[in-house]
mmCIF file of all heavy atoms in Angstrom:
data_model
loop_
_atom_site.group_PDB
_atom_site.id
_atom_site.type_symbol
_atom_site.label_atom_id
_atom_site.label_comp_id
_atom_site.label_asym_id
_atom_site.label_seq_id
_atom_site.Cartn_x
_atom_site.Cartn_y
_atom_site.Cartn_z
ATOM 1 N N GLN A 582 -98.182 13.054 -39.033
ATOM 2 C CA GLN A 582 -97.588 12.532 -40.261
ATOM 3 C C GLN A 582 -98.273 11.231 -40.656
ATOM 4 O O GLN A 582 -98.509 10.981 -41.836
ATOM 5 C CB GLN A 582 -96.086 12.302 -40.082
ATOM 6 C CG GLN A 582 -95.276 13.561 -40.038
ATOM 7 C CD GLN A 582 -93.789 13.291 -39.903
ATOM 8 O OE1 GLN A 582 -93.360 12.181 -39.596
ATOM 9 N NE2 GLN A 582 -92.989 14.318 -40.120
ATOM 10 N N GLU A 583 -98.591 10.420 -39.664
ATOM 11 C CA GLU A 583 -99.255 9.137 -39.928
ATOM 12 C C GLU A 583 -100.617 9.357 -40.595
ATOM 13 O O GLU A 583 -100.968 8.673 -41.566
ATOM 14 C CB GLU A 583 -99.422 8.361 -38.622
ATOM 15 C CG GLU A 583 -100.051 7.005 -38.790
ATOM 16 C CD GLU A 583 -99.148 5.995 -39.463
ATOM 17 O OE1 GLU A 583 -97.929 6.038 -39.239
ATOM 18 O OE2 GLU A 583 -99.662 5.160 -40.241
ATOM 19 N N GLN A 584 -101.390 10.305 -40.086
ATOM 20 C CA GLN A 584 -102.709 10.576 -40.661
ATOM 21 C C GLN A 584 -102.598 11.088 -42.094
ATOM 22 O O GLN A 584 -103.349 10.654 -42.975
ATOM 23 C CB GLN A 584 -103.459 11.588 -39.791
ATOM 24 C CG GLN A 584 -103.889 11.025 -38.459
ATOM 25 C CD GLN A 584 -104.375 12.107 -37.509
ATOM 26 O OE1 GLN A 584 -103.808 13.210 -37.450
ATOM 27 N NE2 GLN A 584 -105.415 11.795 -36.748
ATOM 28 N N LEU A 585 -101.655 12.015 -42.317
ATOM 29 C CA LEU A 585 -101.469 12.528 -43.677
ATOM 30 C C LEU A 585 -101.010 11.421 -44.606
ATOM 31 O O LEU A 585 -101.505 11.298 -45.730
ATOM 32 C CB LEU A 585 -100.476 13.693 -43.683
ATOM 33 C CG LEU A 585 -100.195 14.316 -45.049
ATOM 34 C CD1 LEU A 585 -101.478 14.815 -45.712
ATOM 35 C CD2 LEU A 585 -99.173 15.427 -44.921
ATOM 36 N N ALA A 586 -100.087 10.604 -44.149
ATOM 37 C CA ALA A 586 -99.592 9.496 -44.973
ATOM 38 C C ALA A 586 -100.727 8.569 -45.374
ATOM 39 O O ALA A 586 -100.798 8.127 -46.532
ATOM 40 C CB ALA A 586 -98.514 8.720 -44.213
ATOM 41 N N GLU A 587 -101.624 8.285 -44.444
ATOM 42 C CA GLU A 587 -102.761 7.420 -44.752
ATOM 43 C C GLU A 587 -103.656 8.056 -45.815
ATOM 44 O O GLU A 587 -104.110 7.386 -46.737
ATOM 45 C CB GLU A 587 -103.555 7.150 -43.474
ATOM 46 C CG GLU A 587 -104.642 6.126 -43.645
ATOM 47 C CD GLU A 587 -105.325 5.791 -42.325
ATOM 48 O OE1 GLU A 587 -104.613 5.485 -41.353
ATOM 49 O OE2 GLU A 587 -106.568 5.851 -42.296
ATOM 50 N N MET A 588 -103.877 9.355 -45.697
ATOM 51 C CA MET A 588 -104.723 10.063 -46.654
ATOM 52 C C MET A 588 -104.090 10.090 -48.052
ATOM 53 O O MET A 588 -104.801 10.073 -49.058
ATOM 54 C CB MET A 588 -104.969 11.499 -46.177
ATOM 55 C CG MET A 588 -105.768 11.589 -44.884
ATOM 56 S SD MET A 588 -105.732 13.245 -44.169
ATOM 57 C CE MET A 588 -106.899 14.074 -45.233
ATOM 58 N N VAL A 589 -102.763 10.149 -48.096
ATOM 59 C CA VAL A 589 -102.033 10.260 -49.352
ATOM 60 C C VAL A 589 -101.674 8.884 -49.910
ATOM 61 O O VAL A 589 -101.272 8.757 -51.055
ATOM 62 C CB VAL A 589 -100.768 11.141 -49.145
ATOM 63 C CG1 VAL A 589 -99.916 11.233 -50.378
ATOM 64 C CG2 VAL A 589 -101.171 12.540 -48.695
ATOM 65 N N ASP A 590 -101.836 7.851 -49.087
ATOM 66 C CA ASP A 590 -101.531 6.467 -49.460
ATOM 67 C C ASP A 590 -100.031 6.259 -49.677
ATOM 68 O O ASP A 590 -99.601 5.718 -50.697
ATOM 69 C CB ASP A 590 -102.323 6.032 -50.685
ATOM 70 C CG ASP A 590 -102.305 4.519 -50.886
ATOM 71 O OD1 ASP A 590 -102.184 3.792 -49.883
ATOM 72 O OD2 ASP A 590 -102.389 4.075 -52.046
ATOM 73 N N VAL A 591 -99.254 6.754 -48.694
ATOM 74 C CA VAL A 591 -97.808 6.515 -48.658
ATOM 75 C C VAL A 591 -97.445 6.129 -47.229
ATOM 76 O O VAL A 591 -98.255 6.255 -46.312
ATOM 77 C CB VAL A 591 -96.983 7.755 -49.101
ATOM 78 C CG1 VAL A 591 -97.265 8.113 -50.546
ATOM 79 C CG2 VAL A 591 -97.218 8.940 -48.183
ATOM 80 N N ARG A 593 -95.606 6.548 -43.573
ATOM 81 C CA ARG A 593 -95.350 7.703 -42.727
ATOM 82 C C ARG A 593 -93.939 8.234 -42.937
ATOM 83 O O ARG A 593 -93.699 9.437 -42.952
ATOM 84 C CB ARG A 593 -95.558 7.370 -41.246
ATOM 85 C CG ARG A 593 -95.534 8.646 -40.398
ATOM 86 C CD ARG A 593 -94.826 8.549 -39.065
ATOM 87 N NE ARG A 593 -93.603 7.832 -39.018
ATOM 88 C CZ ARG A 593 -92.378 8.375 -39.229
ATOM 89 N NH1 ARG A 593 -92.246 9.634 -39.557
ATOM 90 N NH2 ARG A 593 -91.308 7.637 -39.118
#
Side-chain angles (χ1 to χ4, degrees):
Q582 287 182 346
E583 182 71 35
Q584 290 168 321
L585 180 57
E587 188 175 309
M588 295 168 77
V589 176
D590 195 29
V591 297
R593 190 220 42 90

